[in-house]
Structures are given as C-alpha cells and as structure tokens.
Amino acid sequence: MSRVFRDGLFAGKVAFFTGGTSGIALRIAEVFAELGATVVLNGRKQDKLDAAVAGIAARGGKAAGFACDVRDYGAIAGALARTRETYGPIDFLFCAAAGNFPAPVLGMSANGFKAVVDIDLLGTFNTCRAAHEHLSKPGAVVINISANHGHQAYPLQAHVCAAKAGVDLLTKTLAMEWGPHGIRVNGIAPGPIDDTEGMRRLAPTGADRQRVIGMIPAGRMGTRDDVAQLAVFLCSDAASFLTGAIYRCDGGQALTGPRALAQLEHTSS
Ligand code: COA
C-alpha cells in the first residue's frame, strides 16, 4: 500500500474491531497496528481469531482477541470491559461484523432476514451502546461499516439493505447524541471490495467480472487498503471536524445506480 500517514500516528491508541478476523476490518486492524495502535479483535470463531491475532503479532504489532457474538449484548459488553481493563480506554471503535447471503425475498425465511439484521444492525447497536462507558472522552472515534446497500436497493439483498440503512441512521443519531461527549461517529460504506467474504459469496469471475468493473467509474474493484486508508484518515486529527457522515469508498459505483452490484449478485445466484 502506498502510505500517506506517518509512522507512529496511532502509538498509544487502542482500537477495537467487531468482525475483525477477516476482510475489511482485519486489514484496517493490520494497518492501525502498523501505525502503532494496540488492536483488539472480536469475531465468532476462536480459530480465525487466533490466526488473525498471530498474523498481526508476527509483523510486530500489538494485538489481542476476544471471541463472542455481537448479537449477545452481555458477551460483547464483557469483551469491551476486558479490553478497557487490560489496555485502557478505547480510542477507536469499529463495528464491522456483518452477515450476508444472496437470496430473493421469497427465498428467504423470516429467520434468515432476522439473522442478518441482528448481526449488522443490532450488533452495531449492542457494540456502540456497551462501548460508550469505555471510550476515551473526549477524542474517541466510532466507525460503523455499512455498504452502498444502505442507500440503494439491490435485488437478492433485502436483508442487507434494510440492515445497512438502519446502521447508517444509527451512526448519524449517535453522532448527534455523542458529539457533546467528545465522540465522533462516522460510517464507511464500501462498494465492491476484492478479497472479502462478501465478494467471495457474491462476485462473478471472468467476463462477467470485467463487465461489472466496466460499470465502476474508477475502472477497478476496490481493495481492502482503499478502505483502510479512509479509516486512518477518519480517525486522525485531520478529520477532527468530521462526524455524522457516511463516506462511500466505492470508486463511484453508487453513481451508476444499483445495476453494477446487482449484476454481481444475479450472476452468482
Ligand atoms: N439462503 C437462504 N437462507 C439462508 C442462507 C442462504 N444462503 N444461509 C442461511 N440462511 C438462513 C438459514 O436457513 C436460517 O433460517 P431458518 O432457520 O429459517 O432455516 C437463518 O438464515 C439463520 O441461519 P443460521 O446458520 O442458523 O444462523 P447464523 O447465525 O450462522 O447466520 C449467516 C447465518 C449466513 C447470516 C451468517 O453465518 C453469515 O452471514 N455468514 C457469512 C459472513 C459473511 O459473509 N460476512 C461478510 C458480509 S458482507
């Protein structure tokens, strides 16, 4: 990754990541660790958590992990409390745990819809609600990861669209309520990002992939580093006046309407 941020930018800072064992959140955690932060990862599966923590530690980063499900308020509250006890107040909170499977509404049970809404929306609420008492005040930054699905409809993604729209308005509401506490709350809405579980489940290959890329104004798929760079900026002092906004990181894909990503989902179902 070409780096525009100085070494040690986040030295002494503590960052907590839900959904931190893979994909976008793991890459953000790796970059924050490279910049000096202590990163604490949360995920459901202990083996993935152990591998992610070991990977960061092997490159000289300070990392720890707590396994739990963000749908369980008591469990995520416990993980946040232990983080604060061990490492001190939390400076950066990333809510990135997310669920997904492509299915039309008529092919989705009520429980399937609920599973995704609970992971994405309730999980983000649980994490933010439980974290508040452990955040550095003033100065903490909360970043909730949503998707272009938060402001556009996509076929086969009703559960994700509903959940992400909720996440985005939760983000904006928290920014209003917590601004006076010295906490900034923003959202990042990634578009099609390579090397993520979501795209492994949704994305086509070969000629279909090239056709989809042709509909992205930037002319390429995003990388996890694209999102990590934005996250670094939003957590830096350079962004100290930025709160209550959702930042798209999508190469302009949202401008083309839902066709580009819908194409991905149709071709993979
Ligand atoms: N199509 C339709 N329904 C599906 C499905 C699919 N591909 N995958 C799961 N479901 C349904 C299940 O059938 C179940 O509903 P039911 O009880 O009516 O049968 C419901 O979703 C819950 O599934 P379950 O496996 O019990 O729960 P879970 O808590 O593990 O959640 C996922 C399932 C799929 C939501 C979750 O495991 C997940 O999202 N994993 C992938 C993570 C991922 O891709 N992250 C990146 C997001 S961009």
Side-chain angles (χ1 to χ4, degrees):
M1 172 171 72
S2 62
R3 290 271 294 273
V4 295
F5 300 103
R6 65 175 163 76
D7 287 345
L9 180 67
F10 293 147
K13 302 289 189 183
V14 176
F16 187 98
F17 299 80
T18 71
T21 58
S22 64
I24 288 170
L26 175 58
R27 185 61 194 140
I28 298 172
E30 290 168 352
V31 171
F32 273 53
E34 285 169 20
L35 292 170
T38 296
V39 299
V40 180
L41 311 182
N42 153 259
R44 274 196 289 174
K45 296 183 179 142
Q46 188 69 52
D47 55 338
K48 282 181 72 177
L49 196 55
D50 292 344
V53 167
I56 293 172
R59 288 191 294 279
K62 296 185 281 281
F66 294 112
C68 70
D69 190 325
V70 292
R71 291 172 287 190
D72 180 340
Y73 186 87
I76 191 67
L80 289 156
R82 272 178 286 147
T83 298
R84 201 264 181 80
E85 284 159 20
T86 312
Y87 303 105
I90 297 166
D91 299 288
F92 308 129
L93 176 69
F94 286 85
C95 298
N100 201 345
F101 56 84
V105 167
L106 295 181
M108 189 185 291
S109 69
N111 198 42
F113 183 87
K114 182 176 184 297
V116 170
V117 171
D118 280 357
I119 296 168
D120 293 29
L121 179 53
L122 180 64
T124 300
F125 170 84
N126 285 346
T127 306
C128 291
R129 173 73 181 82
H132 182 272
E133 66 180 290
H134 306 299
L135 295 175
S136 303
K137 295 184 269 302
V141 182
V142 176
I143 300 200
N144 295 328
I145 306 292
S146 63
N148 277 344
H149 298 61
H151 50 268
Q152 289 187 328
Y154 291 98
L156 313 183
Q157 294 281 274
H159 45 358
V160 178
C161 291
K164 296 303 192 185
V167 168
D168 286 351
L169 272 172
L170 175 61
T171 296
K172 293 175 184 180
T173 305
L174 287 172
M176 293 188 77
E177 293 191 2
W178 292 0
H181 307 176
I183 300 168
R184 294 191 292 113
V185 187
N186 286 302
I188 294 179
I193 307 294
D194 268 338
D195 200 16
T196 61
E197 184 58 31
M199 292 312 288
R200 268 189 287 279
R201 287 175 175 239
L202 301 174
T205 54
D208 287 335
R209 175 182 162 91
Q210 289 312 314
R211 193 157 36 79
V212 167
I213 289 173
M215 288 187 269
I216 300 172
R220 66 174 175 86
M221 300 288 277
T223 68
R224 296 187 304 145
D225 279 341
D226 290 324
V227 187
Q229 296 273 21
L230 175 57
V232 173
F233 167 67
L234 287 175
C235 288
S236 75
D237 289 343
S240 63
F241 199 51
L242 304 185
T243 193
I246 313 302
Y247 295 89
R248 287 193 291 108
C249 184
D250 69 342
Q253 181 265 329
L255 302 175
T256 69
R259 281 186 310 133
L261 200 60
Q263 195 71 45
L264 291 176
E265 288 146 8
H266 279 305
T267 49
S268 65
S269 61

